[in-house]
Amino acid sequence: MTENKTAISKKKPIDYGKIYHDLLKYKRLYYIVLPVAFALSALYMLSIPNYYTCTVKLSPELSNRSTSTSSLASLASSFGVKLGSGMGNGSDALFPTLYPDLMASVDFKADLFKIKVCPEDSEQEYSYYDYLMFHQKGPWWGKMIKNLVKMLDKDVENDTVRIVNPRHLTKEEFSLMKSLDEIITCQVDKKTMVMTLSVIDVDPGVSQTMADSTMALLQRYITEYRTSKARVDLEYNKKLLAEAKRNYEKASRAYASFADANLHTFQERILQRKAELETEMVLQRTVYQQVVAQYQQAEMKLQEETPAFAVIQASTVPVKKTGPNRSKSCIIFVFFIFIVTSVIILYREDDLKSIIGL
């Protein structure tokens, strides 16, 4: 205990006056380092183009089987209580909270690469993949890298529409898909289930195009999932309807032909055969009518399962840039250089020991 008190008493207080004078001795160094740091940071920030954000909001229709559960979950979440796994506890596995995971899938991103975009300074359309790889505005060093990739990749000049195989990605494709996580984002409000989709790009027109196209693609994915079973049932009933129609027409023609051929014949054998054909025709007509009713029910079921999407905020071409904040970045960088330079000076003047207590 006495040793600790002795160590504390031996600890020298910080001499702020000495630190100030030591830093003041190197004021010429600051006059050189800080303007150079500002010039370099300004040059770097001016090389980065402006980027814009286009945002759309839509509310997906929830299936009837999960509406009551989701309403109860929303009420519980307002009190900080989470019910279930957030999937509605219904048979609809693709709940809105899983839409961001759907957009992060490889298949979805591969379909995004196929979308056609047209930059403002160009009259030619490109696939989104080619646009990101070779035609997007960027800093000068980025253009050098893209030109180098063009020189090394001989297929770029001959094949402007790049086909991405989601089951076998190249390193460039995988890296580009990872960057999409920051370019295209999706957030879902767990209380209201309102989905906010944002796209960032240096070209405001491209950001608006990709926001609309991504929203449409997501709606198509959700619709295909929600209606998959109903579409299978409709296709099956369509086959049954075609077969029932053929059987009915066949039975009807057979009865008509036999009746015309034996119009004035009253033999018991002929009458019995005519009655059998008529019974078969009536039976096939009954089956055909039942299949028609089933087919109409399947069409109604498909329409019922097709989700509706209410667009709360439509996309518009952004006018105001999102970033970069050049002045703030330059100030932060100059301040960082000031701190680093000061630490180096204090280390050389042996002032760091008194500051950190060594």
mmCIF file of all heavy atoms in Angstrom, residues 104-123:
data_model
loop_
_atom_site.group_PDB
_atom_site.id
_atom_site.type_symbol
_atom_site.label_atom_id
_atom_site.label_comp_id
_atom_site.label_asym_id
_atom_site.label_seq_id
_atom_site.Cartn_x
_atom_site.Cartn_y
_atom_site.Cartn_z
ATOM 1 N N ALA A 104 -30.425 -10.146 -51.564
ATOM 2 C CA ALA A 104 -29.005 -10.452 -51.404
ATOM 3 C C ALA A 104 -28.620 -11.776 -52.049
ATOM 4 O O ALA A 104 -27.435 -12.113 -52.071
ATOM 5 C CB ALA A 104 -28.637 -10.470 -49.916
ATOM 6 N N SER A 105 -29.594 -12.502 -52.583
ATOM 7 C CA SER A 105 -29.299 -13.796 -53.188
ATOM 8 C C SER A 105 -28.560 -13.624 -54.512
ATOM 9 O O SER A 105 -28.669 -12.592 -55.180
ATOM 10 C CB SER A 105 -30.592 -14.583 -53.411
ATOM 11 O OG SER A 105 -31.420 -13.924 -54.362
ATOM 12 N N VAL A 106 -27.807 -14.634 -54.892
ATOM 13 C CA VAL A 106 -26.999 -14.585 -56.110
ATOM 14 C C VAL A 106 -27.902 -14.518 -57.339
ATOM 15 O O VAL A 106 -27.605 -13.788 -58.298
ATOM 16 C CB VAL A 106 -26.061 -15.800 -56.171
ATOM 17 C CG1 VAL A 106 -25.260 -15.804 -57.466
ATOM 18 C CG2 VAL A 106 -25.113 -15.799 -54.984
ATOM 19 N N ASP A 107 -28.984 -15.269 -57.341
ATOM 20 C CA ASP A 107 -29.878 -15.285 -58.501
ATOM 21 C C ASP A 107 -30.496 -13.912 -58.739
ATOM 22 O O ASP A 107 -30.624 -13.465 -59.887
ATOM 23 C CB ASP A 107 -30.984 -16.329 -58.301
ATOM 24 C CG ASP A 107 -30.437 -17.745 -58.311
ATOM 25 O OD1 ASP A 107 -29.483 -17.998 -59.055
ATOM 26 O OD2 ASP A 107 -30.965 -18.581 -57.562
ATOM 27 N N PHE A 108 -30.903 -13.248 -57.656
ATOM 28 C CA PHE A 108 -31.516 -11.925 -57.804
ATOM 29 C C PHE A 108 -30.500 -10.929 -58.359
ATOM 30 O O PHE A 108 -30.815 -10.133 -59.254
ATOM 31 C CB PHE A 108 -32.044 -11.456 -56.452
ATOM 32 C CG PHE A 108 -32.884 -10.217 -56.532
ATOM 33 C CD1 PHE A 108 -34.249 -10.288 -56.751
ATOM 34 C CD2 PHE A 108 -32.314 -8.956 -56.386
ATOM 35 C CE1 PHE A 108 -35.031 -9.146 -56.828
ATOM 36 C CE2 PHE A 108 -33.077 -7.809 -56.460
ATOM 37 C CZ PHE A 108 -34.444 -7.903 -56.682
ATOM 38 N N LYS A 109 -29.282 -10.960 -57.848
ATOM 39 C CA LYS A 109 -28.257 -10.031 -58.330
ATOM 40 C C LYS A 109 -27.878 -10.325 -59.779
ATOM 41 O O LYS A 109 -27.599 -9.398 -60.551
ATOM 42 C CB LYS A 109 -27.022 -10.115 -57.431
ATOM 43 C CG LYS A 109 -27.248 -9.575 -56.025
ATOM 44 C CD LYS A 109 -25.998 -9.711 -55.186
ATOM 45 C CE LYS A 109 -26.210 -9.144 -53.790
ATOM 46 N NZ LYS A 109 -25.012 -9.309 -52.937
ATOM 47 N N ALA A 110 -27.876 -11.608 -60.145
ATOM 48 C CA ALA A 110 -27.577 -11.947 -61.538
ATOM 49 C C ALA A 110 -28.633 -11.388 -62.474
ATOM 50 O O ALA A 110 -28.319 -10.938 -63.587
ATOM 51 C CB ALA A 110 -27.483 -13.470 -61.692
ATOM 52 N N ASP A 111 -29.898 -11.370 -62.040
ATOM 53 C CA ASP A 111 -30.946 -10.766 -62.854
ATOM 54 C C ASP A 111 -30.821 -9.241 -62.893
ATOM 55 O O ASP A 111 -31.185 -8.605 -63.889
ATOM 56 C CB ASP A 111 -32.327 -11.159 -62.315
ATOM 57 C CG ASP A 111 -32.687 -12.600 -62.644
ATOM 58 O OD1 ASP A 111 -32.087 -13.149 -63.590
ATOM 59 O OD2 ASP A 111 -33.540 -13.178 -61.951
ATOM 60 N N LEU A 112 -30.303 -8.656 -61.817
ATOM 61 C CA LEU A 112 -30.072 -7.210 -61.823
ATOM 62 C C LEU A 112 -29.038 -6.823 -62.872
ATOM 63 O O LEU A 112 -29.141 -5.768 -63.505
ATOM 64 C CB LEU A 112 -29.598 -6.739 -60.446
ATOM 65 C CG LEU A 112 -30.640 -6.652 -59.326
ATOM 66 C CD1 LEU A 112 -29.970 -6.233 -58.025
ATOM 67 C CD2 LEU A 112 -31.753 -5.696 -59.676
ATOM 68 N N PHE A 113 -28.036 -7.673 -63.067
ATOM 69 C CA PHE A 113 -26.988 -7.382 -64.038
ATOM 70 C C PHE A 113 -27.537 -7.311 -65.467
ATOM 71 O O PHE A 113 -26.924 -6.694 -66.339
ATOM 72 C CB PHE A 113 -25.886 -8.433 -63.969
ATOM 73 C CG PHE A 113 -24.987 -8.280 -62.775
ATOM 74 C CD1 PHE A 113 -24.360 -9.383 -62.219
ATOM 75 C CD2 PHE A 113 -24.760 -7.041 -62.214
ATOM 76 C CE1 PHE A 113 -23.524 -9.241 -61.131
ATOM 77 C CE2 PHE A 113 -23.925 -6.890 -61.117
ATOM 78 C CZ PHE A 113 -23.308 -7.996 -60.570
ATOM 79 N N LYS A 114 -28.689 -7.939 -65.726
ATOM 80 C CA LYS A 114 -29.246 -7.967 -67.082
ATOM 81 C C LYS A 114 -30.047 -6.710 -67.419
ATOM 82 O O LYS A 114 -30.382 -6.490 -68.587
ATOM 83 C CB LYS A 114 -30.161 -9.189 -67.235
ATOM 84 C CG LYS A 114 -29.473 -10.520 -66.976
ATOM 85 C CD LYS A 114 -30.478 -11.660 -67.035
ATOM 86 C CE LYS A 114 -29.841 -12.994 -66.667
ATOM 87 N NZ LYS A 114 -30.834 -14.099 -66.653
ATOM 88 N N ILE A 115 -30.348 -5.885 -66.429
ATOM 89 C CA ILE A 115 -31.174 -4.696 -66.653
ATOM 90 C C ILE A 115 -30.418 -3.709 -67.536
ATOM 91 O O ILE A 115 -29.222 -3.488 -67.372
ATOM 92 C CB ILE A 115 -31.548 -4.052 -65.307
ATOM 93 C CG1 ILE A 115 -32.406 -5.033 -64.488
ATOM 94 C CG2 ILE A 115 -32.291 -2.744 -65.515
ATOM 95 C CD1 ILE A 115 -32.697 -4.544 -63.088
ATOM 96 N N LYS A 116 -31.140 -3.111 -68.476
ATOM 97 C CA LYS A 116 -30.553 -2.142 -69.395
ATOM 98 C C LYS A 116 -30.636 -0.735 -68.793
ATOM 99 O O LYS A 116 -31.692 -0.321 -68.307
ATOM 100 C CB LYS A 116 -31.286 -2.164 -70.736
ATOM 101 C CG LYS A 116 -31.137 -3.472 -71.508
ATOM 102 C CD LYS A 116 -29.718 -3.649 -71.995
ATOM 103 C CE LYS A 116 -29.594 -4.896 -72.869
ATOM 104 N NZ LYS A 116 -28.234 -5.059 -73.386
ATOM 105 N N VAL A 117 -29.522 -0.020 -68.824
ATOM 106 C CA VAL A 117 -29.473 1.354 -68.337
ATOM 107 C C VAL A 117 -28.835 2.235 -69.405
ATOM 108 O O VAL A 117 -28.056 1.762 -70.241
ATOM 109 C CB VAL A 117 -28.672 1.465 -67.018
ATOM 110 C CG1 VAL A 117 -29.357 0.698 -65.906
ATOM 111 C CG2 VAL A 117 -27.242 0.968 -67.199
ATOM 112 N N CYS A 118 -29.177 3.502 -69.368
ATOM 113 C CA CYS A 118 -28.626 4.469 -70.332
ATOM 114 C C CYS A 118 -28.129 5.682 -69.566
ATOM 115 O O CYS A 118 -28.940 6.453 -69.039
ATOM 116 C CB CYS A 118 -29.690 4.870 -71.354
ATOM 117 S SG CYS A 118 -29.079 6.027 -72.609
ATOM 118 N N PRO A 119 -26.819 5.866 -69.440
ATOM 119 C CA PRO A 119 -26.291 7.040 -68.737
ATOM 120 C C PRO A 119 -26.702 8.337 -69.430
ATOM 121 O O PRO A 119 -27.021 8.359 -70.623
ATOM 122 C CB PRO A 119 -24.766 6.830 -68.788
ATOM 123 C CG PRO A 119 -24.582 5.368 -69.069
ATOM 124 C CD PRO A 119 -25.760 4.955 -69.891
ATOM 125 N N GLU A 120 -26.686 9.422 -68.667
ATOM 126 C CA GLU A 120 -27.132 10.713 -69.202
ATOM 127 C C GLU A 120 -26.215 11.227 -70.310
ATOM 128 O O GLU A 120 -26.670 11.898 -71.227
ATOM 129 C CB GLU A 120 -27.214 11.739 -68.066
ATOM 130 C CG GLU A 120 -28.387 11.515 -67.119
ATOM 131 C CD GLU A 120 -28.524 12.624 -66.114
ATOM 132 O OE1 GLU A 120 -27.558 13.400 -65.955
ATOM 133 O OE2 GLU A 120 -29.579 12.730 -65.474
ATOM 134 N N ASP A 121 -24.918 10.937 -70.210
ATOM 135 C CA ASP A 121 -23.976 11.447 -71.206
ATOM 136 C C ASP A 121 -23.755 10.467 -72.355
ATOM 137 O O ASP A 121 -22.772 10.562 -73.085
ATOM 138 C CB ASP A 121 -22.635 11.765 -70.542
ATOM 139 C CG ASP A 121 -22.040 10.552 -69.836
ATOM 140 O OD1 ASP A 121 -22.755 9.533 -69.718
ATOM 141 O OD2 ASP A 121 -20.873 10.620 -69.405
ATOM 142 N N SER A 122 -24.659 9.501 -72.504
ATOM 143 C CA SER A 122 -24.513 8.507 -73.569
ATOM 144 C C SER A 122 -25.876 8.215 -74.171
ATOM 145 O O SER A 122 -26.905 8.267 -73.490
ATOM 146 C CB SER A 122 -23.890 7.212 -73.015
ATOM 147 O OG SER A 122 -23.857 6.206 -74.005
ATOM 148 N N GLU A 123 -25.882 7.904 -75.453
ATOM 149 C CA GLU A 123 -27.118 7.523 -76.142
ATOM 150 C C GLU A 123 -27.238 6.003 -76.285
ATOM 151 O O GLU A 123 -28.234 5.524 -76.808
ATOM 152 C CB GLU A 123 -27.156 8.161 -77.536
ATOM 153 C CG GLU A 123 -27.207 9.690 -77.506
ATOM 154 C CD GLU A 123 -27.268 10.279 -78.899
ATOM 155 O OE1 GLU A 123 -27.185 9.477 -79.871
ATOM 156 O OE2 GLU A 123 -27.399 11.515 -79.025
#
